[in-house]
Amino acid sequence: MLRQYELVDRVLGYDPKADEALINRAYVYAMKQHGSQKRASGDPYFSHPIEVAGILTDLKLDTATIVTALLHDTIEDTGSTMDELTKLFGPQVAGLVDGVTKLTRIELTSERSKQAENFRKFLLAMSNDIRVLLVKLADRLHNMRTLHFISSAEKRQRIALETMEIYAPLAGRMGIQEIREELEDLAFKELNPEAREALIKRLNEFRESTGDAVKKIADEIRAKLEEAGLPCEVIGREKRPYSMWRKMERRAISLEQLSDIFGFRVIVDDVPDCYRAIGVLHTSWPMVPGRFKDYISTPKANGYRSLHTTMIGPQRKRAEVQVRTRKMHEVAEYGIAAHWLYKEASGTDASGEFAATFKWLRQLIEMLEHGASPEEFLEHTKLQMYSDQVFCFTPNGLLITLPRGATPIDFAYAVHTEIGDTCVGCKINGRHMPLRSKLENGDEVEIIRSQAQKPSPAWEAIVATGKARSAIRRSIRATKQAEFSKLGRQIVKTAFEAAGREATDTILERALGPLRKHDINELLAGVGDGTINPQQILQTVYPEDGAPKGGRKRNGRMNGKDERGGSVRVTGRASGLAIRFAPEMFPLPGERIVGIMMPGEGVTIYPIDAPALEEFDGDAMRWIDATWDIDPEHPQSFPTRLRVTAKNEVGSLGHIATLIADYGSNIANLSLAQRDTDFYDIQLDLEVRDLKHLTRIMSALNGLSCVNTVVRPRR
Ligand code: MN
């Protein structure tokens, strides 16, 4: 806490004519009035008005403002009255304290829904004397600095949100950038700690990789300018996390692409030197086109003046540079307050004149008085509540915002649909991780892609974003259509051949009308997905052939050439979406299989001796010939299941597992199905190449002394 003499010394330091006695009286009075009141931090309450006064000395404000700061909570929180303050400190100070009190009351009654309306009142109330608002901003800044002492999270959030939406932009509009940035960062910390942490973490890594770039660049700029006979001060600094985050969000760019992570300020003696300095900079380093701005000849509405440029500067880094005079610099830092100081020095009474100087304030008040929408203003500055989101980065540093629970697949689709569709794996923070991993704040995600990849139907269950889900569905639908159509062609071709006919497109076209299909692809897809039987097509285009002879018989062989149901070739366990294996039936290459058309789903493949096939006995039209088509040069692995009864003795499980491994097979799953004292049943899920491979394993298992029986369960 600032001591009494320290506060007075600070004010005298920039204003030798300050009313020392008045400041001393106010200091003592505030201490007495607040007495034993305590802040949430446990500090005595009077430390607060004193700190607020201290903040205002940084802005070099006059005695009346400093005194108002010391007294600003006395009417609201102690027994002080306007009359008493007028008597003790004069009408001007009393009026200012009254203004601050009114603002405090608006604030206390503020509800989220009424915010815009309150904002209007707010501006009207403070427009009488800008110093009221300066005290209020300093008050808010100190409250934000001590926000973490407030125990209610809801209250902290409300105060932080209000700061972000009203006070910070207002400080910005008043040109007090230092306070604006500090308010924003304190509010950001409360409202969105994860995003802030993620950014700071990222920034630290970036800083490590670039070394002490700020100092090196600043030194080089200074050297160049001094060489050209321009004495100057060069200030290099890093932007605050919030302003970087907002830019990255708004422009969807990466940290590395931000040209102004590092900002440089070149302060020279006078206006002609500003332009000379720009000339030197532009001849020393290439400028980035379109980034030069002259706010000296056309100042900003809040009185800001400077020359801006961006160059590919020293160290080959983009550097944003602002060139200005000392006076311009103070206006830029202290805004309206600095302006006030210069006015004061010229001896005119400034308080009323400020509102006039700052045209934007008048315009804003007019806008509000004429009922224009203040929501618009709020809209520009609002920080959304992002507590349910995670912030991740691409390897290039692009920020990707995702809902909590999102996976690398969501990430891939958020970057680009094409990247999602071809995603096969990922690295999170440089490590290979499963695609179902949940992403966390600050993760750097690299998507591994393959053009051969198509989205898997299983992805739908693990993604968190609608964008990913609908893209996956769209892609699966398209893949399915293509596969159904391809399968349909196979079936139609064989069915026609069996009938002694040829399925040319010209002939198939004749079936389009009667079967109500738009094109051949659609017709074939209908056959592939089991909604159209190839016999229907045959009978439509060759009615003279009549109905097919007989039906097929179960047990039975498919009767070769007499059959006209068509046939399919099964090329592997990953035959795609149109051809699937019946669940837990485990057909293997080398054994006879049969297909059953499942309307809307394509073909399901069963081993020919599966008991479950009885269900389809009466439905001959759905049966379809199926043959394996496996390239012997490229054996694939197929799942299968064995039930082994083994002796319950030490090591028997180990013997079984070793044998299976010796035969080049993989155990995918193993469970003890049943166990009694002498024997136990083991269910083994294996990967094998074909029926022959399985048979060899089975007879080898039978040869083990610990194994009693080995069977392949049938369903
Ligand atoms: Mn206060």
Side-chain angles (χ1 to χ4, degrees):
M1 187 178 77
L2 269 183
R3 287 156 192 254
Q4 191 171 339
Y5 73 89
E6 287 170 330
L7 179 66
V8 171
D9 279 357
R10 278 211 207 175
V11 179
L12 289 174
Y14 61 79
D15 182 8
K17 287 181 290 176
D19 187 342
E20 207 180 323
L22 193 68
I23 296 172
N24 280 324
R25 271 213 313 282
Y27 193 104
V28 174
Y29 179 82
M31 270 181 95
K32 190 186 93 206
Q33 286 301 100
H34 288 293
S36 60
Q37 289 173 352
K38 289 267 195 293
R39 298 267 291 168
S41 60
D43 288 338
Y45 193 93
F46 58 77
S47 66
H48 165 67
I50 292 167
E51 290 302 327
V52 174
I55 291 169
L56 292 166
T57 62
D58 290 339
L59 298 179
K60 302 182 181 170
L61 285 161
D62 68 330
T63 305
T65 313
I66 302 300
V67 168
T68 302
L70 290 169
L71 303 174
H72 80 270
D73 278 333
T74 55
I75 292 182
E76 190 63 22
D77 292 338
T78 79
S80 304
T81 62
M82 267 291 275
D83 283 351
E84 192 180 348
L85 294 183
T86 310
K87 207 165 66 196
L88 289 169
F89 303 99
Q92 193 193 29
V93 167
L96 289 170
V97 174
D98 185 48
V100 179
T101 305
K102 279 185 184 137
L103 287 187
T104 304
R105 286 182 185 152
I106 289 169
E107 202 178 68
L108 290 175
T109 57
S110 137
E111 283 168 40
R112 294 279 296 130
S113 58
K114 289 189 188 153
Q115 212 170 47
E117 179 55 27
N118 280 318
F119 181 63
R120 171 207 297 264
K121 284 191 201 155
F122 188 95
L123 282 175
L124 291 175
M126 63 91 178
S127 63
N128 292 326
D129 193 321
I130 205 74
R131 287 175 295 184
V132 169
L133 189 66
L134 291 169
V135 174
K136 196 65 213 167
L137 279 177
D139 176 42
R140 175 53 61 119
L141 181 57
H142 184 246
N143 285 337
M144 285 302 292
R145 283 177 183 170
T146 54
L147 186 69
H148 57 283
F149 289 116
I150 292 174
S151 58
S152 156
E154 196 192 327
K155 193 174 173 193
R156 286 199 310 270
Q157 288 268 317
R158 182 182 63 73
I159 293 171
L161 197 62
E162 198 177 62
T163 300
M164 194 61 104
E165 290 182 348
I166 292 179
Y167 291 91
L170 218 47
R173 298 289 286 264
M174 294 172 73
I176 314 171
Q177 303 309 332
E178 281 292 311
I179 289 184
R180 192 205 77 208
E181 287 186 5
E182 192 179 345
L183 286 173
E184 278 174 351
D185 203 45
L186 291 166
F188 188 37
K189 202 171 171 182
E190 175 63 37
L191 292 172
N192 205 340
E194 286 95 350
R196 187 170 175 274
E197 282 308 308
L199 196 58
I200 288 173
K201 187 179 155 207
R202 183 78 191 164
L203 199 56
N204 285 337
E205 289 165 9
F206 182 71
R207 207 180 287 125
E208 264 167 36
S209 71
T210 54
D212 195 3
V214 178
K215 191 181 173 307
K216 284 185 206 148
I217 297 172
D219 286 347
E220 278 195 51
I221 292 175
R222 189 181 306 108
K224 273 283 180 211
L225 291 173
E226 274 166 6
E227 206 176 288
L230 283 164
C232 61
E233 185 188 343
V234 180
I235 306 165
R237 59 165 212 151
E238 205 172 73
K239 288 281 172 74
R240 298 216 190 215
Y242 176 71
S243 64
M244 281 191 255
W245 184 77
R246 194 174 48 182
K247 256 186 200 150
M248 289 165 73
E249 276 274 301
R250 198 172 50 211
R251 308 213 301 249
I253 55 173
S254 70
L255 197 59
E256 285 76 0
Q257 286 171 295
L258 267 187
S259 57
D260 45 5
I261 290 174
F262 308 127
F264 297 89
R265 280 159 189 172
V266 175
I267 295 163
V268 294
D269 290 339
D270 53 27
V271 172
D273 277 359
C274 289
Y275 290 99
R276 288 222 299 278
I278 281 287
V280 172
L281 294 176
H282 283 181
T283 49
S284 306
W285 296 284
M287 71 177 285
V288 177
R291 294 294 302 258
F292 176 71
K293 302 254 167 53
D294 184 348
Y295 294 117
I296 291 180
S297 63
T298 34
K300 283 193 188 181
N302 62 10
Y304 176 86
R305 297 167 81 205
S306 278
L307 300 176
H308 287 191
T309 188
T310 302
M311 26 182 234
I312 312 292
Q315 319 270 317
R316 301 213 41 79
K317 296 214 160 44
R318 280 165 75 108
E320 191 182 72
V321 183
Q322 301 165 345
V323 182
R324 50 176 69 152
T325 64
R326 173 70 52 192
K327 182 175 170 181
M328 289 174 196
H329 182 60
E330 284 185 5
V331 172
E333 294 294 291
Y334 306 132
I336 216 164
H339 207 84
W340 197 88
L341 189 67
Y342 286 102
K343 283 282 176 185
E344 184 74 352
S346 72
T348 52
D349 175 36
S351 60
E353 217 173 307
F354 285 132
T357 310
F358 289 85
K359 253 200 270 170
W360 65 268
L361 189 57
R362 263 215 330 261
Q363 284 164 354
L364 197 53
I365 289 163
E366 273 167 27
M367 185 183 93
L368 293 171
E369 281 177 334
H370 292 98
S373 151
E375 284 89 349
E376 262 173 52
F377 178 84
L378 289 180
E379 209 47 53
H380 288 300
T381 54
K382 239 175 217 170
L383 179 82
Q384 305 294 332
M385 305 284 254
Y386 283 125
S387 56
D388 54 348
Q389 301 200 270
V390 288
F391 305 89
C392 304
F393 298 91
T394 66
N396 295 328
L398 190 69
L399 176 67
I400 304 289
T401 308
L402 293 164
R404 206 164 278 283
T407 62
I409 301 171
D410 291 295
F411 182 92
Y413 277 107
V415 177
H416 199 281
T417 306
E418 164 74 12
I419 293 177
D421 280 346
T422 53
C423 158
V424 286
C426 71
K427 282 184 182 176
I428 299 176
N429 302 322
R431 290 183 52 202
H432 273 285
M433 295 292 280
L435 284 174
R436 61 170 188 279
S437 313
K438 301 245 183 291
L439 294 175
E440 285 176 27
N441 269 314
D443 278 349
E444 183 184 296
V445 185
E446 183 184 344
I447 299 296
I448 300 159
R449 303 169 59 191
S450 158
Q451 290 302 329
Q453 174 68 13
K454 294 250 165 57
S456 149
W459 287 2
E460 236 192 279
I462 55 173
V463 297
T465 56
K467 184 178 182 189
R469 194 167 296 120
S470 62
I472 292 166
R473 283 194 190 136
R474 197 164 48 239
S475 164
I476 288 172
R477 212 179 304 129
T479 311
K480 255 187 181 166
Q481 277 312 104
E483 284 191 22
F484 281 148
S485 167
K486 195 173 146 216
L487 174 65
R489 185 169 289 278
Q490 232 186 89
I491 294 173
V492 167
K493 183 169 173 277
T494 50
F496 270 58
E497 276 167 7
R501 301 288 191 181
E502 198 190 347
T504 64
D505 281 4
T506 327
I507 287 165
L508 290 180
E509 265 164 20
R510 283 156 46 192
L512 295 180
L515 294 174
R516 295 204 192 91
K517 296 290 172 193
H518 293 100
D519 55 40
I520 290 180
N521 259 339
E522 200 187 334
L523 178 76
L524 294 175
V527 175
D529 78 6
T531 51
I532 299 173
N533 192 283
Q535 294 304 327
Q536 274 173 275
I537 302 177
L538 267 170
Q539 283 167 43
T540 307
V541 295
Y542 297 114
E544 64 276 21
D545 284 5
K549 299 179 280 282
R552 57 200 67 205
K553 296 268 186 297
R554 166 132 164 85
N555 287 340
R557 324 261 94 181
M558 307 280 210
N559 304 334
K561 296 230 179 302
D562 289 344
E563 295 308 326
R564 293 199 260 165
S567 72
V568 290
R569 288 200 313 275
V570 181
T571 54
R573 76 188 265 202
S575 270
L577 298 160
I579 301 177
R580 291 180 302 177
F581 289 160
E584 307 209 335
M585 300 284 172
F586 311 113
L588 291 176
E591 73 183 321
R592 287 201 44 127
I593 47 175
V594 68
I596 300 291
M597 298 301 301
M598 307 296 268
E601 290 171 21
V603 179
T604 303
I605 302 295
Y606 289 80
I608 196 106
D609 55 352
L613 280 170
E614 271 172 39
E615 189 191 330
F616 308 104
D617 269 353
D619 212 350
M621 294 294 259
R622 289 174 66 183
W623 289 64
I624 188 167
D625 236 348
T627 50
W628 291 102
D629 185 13
I630 307 288
D631 179 0
E633 299 286 304
H634 300 99
Q636 305 174 35
S637 69
F638 289 82
T640 190
R641 179 170 290 171
L642 289 181
R643 195 158 288 145
V644 178
T645 307
K647 286 187 190 136
N648 188 2
E649 61 185 32
V650 177
S652 53
L653 212 49
H655 289 133
I656 293 169
T658 310
L659 181 141
I660 289 167
D662 287 348
Y663 275 79
S665 165
N666 204 18
I667 301 177
N669 194 18
L670 181 152
S671 58
L672 296 184
Q674 205 186 325
R675 182 170 195 157
D676 45 42
T677 39
D678 303 335
F679 291 95
Y680 51 102
D681 287 340
I682 311 160
Q683 180 172 294
L684 281 168
D685 287 342
L686 305 178
E687 307 263 350
V688 295
R689 288 188 295 278
D690 51 25
L691 186 63
K692 205 190 278 174
H693 189 196
L694 178 67
T695 315
R696 277 179 26 233
I697 293 171
M698 285 174 76
S699 46
L701 283 171
N702 264 319
L704 286 177
S705 63
C706 63
V707 169
N708 196 29
T709 58
V710 182
V711 293
R712 199 177 163 206
R714 276 321 204 186
R715 313 174 46 148

